[in-house]
Amino acid sequence: MSNSEEFPLGQYYDFFMYWKTPVITALVYVLVISALNPQTSGVSRVVAKSGKQPHKAPAKKSSRLFTAFIVFHNLVLCLFSGITFYNMGGAWLQNFRSRNFMDAFCDRGGKVWESDLQYWGWLFYLSKYYEIIDTIIILAKGRRSSFLQTFHHAGAIITMWYGTLHSATPIWIFVVFNSFIHTIMYFYYILTCLGYSPPGKKYLTSMQITQFVIGISLALSYLFVDDCLTSDEGRWAVYLNASYVIPLTFLFKDFAKRTYGKKSKVV
């Protein structure tokens, strides 16, 4: 990242790009969540093994101050995701309009990377650290953080770090798709925090699964186009994302099955 010092928090680029920062953060995150997670009762374990969705333990009643903090947190991520999608999606659309398809898809010459992707990729990577607050909120409410939640956040930090560090063009897929879904998702959370009961949670899960399936398919396609990935690190970035997104997709499908029922179509 040639001009990282000009980016927001760019003075910390070396710190966040050093491999120990994402790896240790993800490891500590997993260990702390494992230690602080409320224990699942014996009854809940039996119900869970039956294949049915266990009843959630009643959440602690939130104070107005805590609720205001949650709304603010979700608003920050909703706005950031929307701005990221608008800018990165727009840059990629202009890229395809101004160049032939394969040059645009592979970003040959690094045109999009230099102009937009390194900037928004960097900010999106940093946002994955901030999103850990999602889990903190769950624990503060007295709820249990699922393995899906833990795997999702820890894996996002690692994969975005590696792709950003090695200027891997396919991270545009993660940035564009995920920012779009997160814009809708965090807006949904804002409404629920304000006491509304918006419909469509099932379809939000469906959209998340769909982004994983389409996204990893696009990312893997980079491996089969000549001169699309010009470094071994770029190829390893795709492999790393595949090793994260494929199991994540199955975890989301399992969540959807347990939450909405076997007959519920989620994709």
Side-chain angles (χ1 to χ4, degrees):
M1 192 175 293
S2 57
N3 55 342
S4 59
E5 66 279 358
E6 300 176 5
F7 294 170
L9 299 177
Q11 65 270 33
Y12 301 108
Y13 176 76
D14 290 339
F15 171 76
F16 280 105
M17 286 295 108
Y18 185 45
W19 70 269
K20 287 186 178 180
T21 301
V23 172
I24 292 177
T25 300
L27 180 61
V28 170
Y29 169 71
V30 171
L31 293 176
V32 170
I33 296 306
S34 299
L36 296 182
N37 242 347
Q39 294 297 313
T40 304
S41 68
V43 173
S44 295
R45 286 195 294 269
V46 171
V47 174
K49 288 180 180 179
S50 71
K52 299 179 181 179
Q53 178 72 0
H55 294 294
K56 291 182 178 179
K60 296 178 182 177
K61 187 175 181 180
S62 300
S63 67
R64 290 186 177 181
L65 183 61
F66 185 49
T67 299
F69 167 75
I70 298 173
V71 171
F72 175 75
H73 165 72
N74 289 326
L75 179 61
V76 167
L77 286 174
C78 178
L79 291 175
F80 170 75
S81 299
I83 292 170
T84 300
F85 175 73
Y86 175 81
N87 285 279
M88 196 62 250
W92 210 257
L93 182 62
Q94 179 59 32
N95 175 47
F96 277 104
R97 286 176 173 173
S98 61
R99 296 200 282 177
N100 70 68
F101 181 82
M102 293 313 304
D103 284 347
F105 182 69
C106 298
D107 191 28
R108 289 176 175 141
K111 178 181 178 181
V112 181
W113 180 266
E114 292 295 333
S115 62
D116 293 279
L117 185 52
Q118 61 173 338
Y119 179 89
W120 292 105
W122 161 249
L123 291 180
F124 206 67
Y125 163 56
L126 293 183
S127 76
K128 298 308 167 187
Y129 290 90
Y130 180 74
E131 286 176 12
I132 289 176
I133 293 177
D134 288 350
T135 307
I136 296 174
I137 290 172
I138 290 174
L139 295 178
K141 287 183 174 182
R143 295 275 177 82
R144 182 175 178 83
S145 178
S146 66
F147 176 75
L148 167 60
Q149 174 91 358
T150 306
F151 181 80
H152 191 181
H153 285 296
I157 291 174
I158 298 295
T159 52
M160 277 303 301
W161 158 72
Y162 193 84
T164 303
L165 176 65
H166 295 294
S167 306
T169 298
I171 69 167
W172 75 266
I173 302 167
F174 198 170
V175 176
V176 173
F177 285 31
N178 203 234
S179 63
F180 173 72
I181 296 297
H182 276 194
T183 303
I184 300 172
M185 182 182 76
Y186 284 109
F187 181 69
Y188 180 93
Y189 290 162
I190 290 170
L191 293 179
T192 59
C193 286
L194 294 176
Y196 298 100
S197 299
K201 184 178 180 181
K202 166 184 171 181
Y203 300 105
L204 183 58
T205 303
S206 178
M207 291 172 66
Q208 289 172 316
I209 295 171
T210 301
Q211 70 151 331
F212 296 141
V213 173
I214 297 176
I216 197 58
S217 299
L218 284 172
L220 289 172
S221 71
Y222 276 81
L223 299 172
F224 303 99
V225 179
D226 292 338
D227 301 324
C228 210
L229 296 174
T230 57
S231 68
D232 290 338
E233 289 82 5
R235 301 181 72 85
W236 277 108
V238 174
Y239 296 142
L240 182 62
N241 270 275
S243 67
Y244 165 63
V245 173
I246 291 174
L248 184 63
T249 303
F250 283 101
L251 287 171
F252 263 94
K253 286 180 71 68
D254 179 67
F255 165 80
K257 180 180 177 181
R258 289 185 291 106
T259 303
Y260 310 117
K262 294 182 178 180
K263 295 181 181 181
S264 179
K265 187 176 180 181
V266 294
V267 177

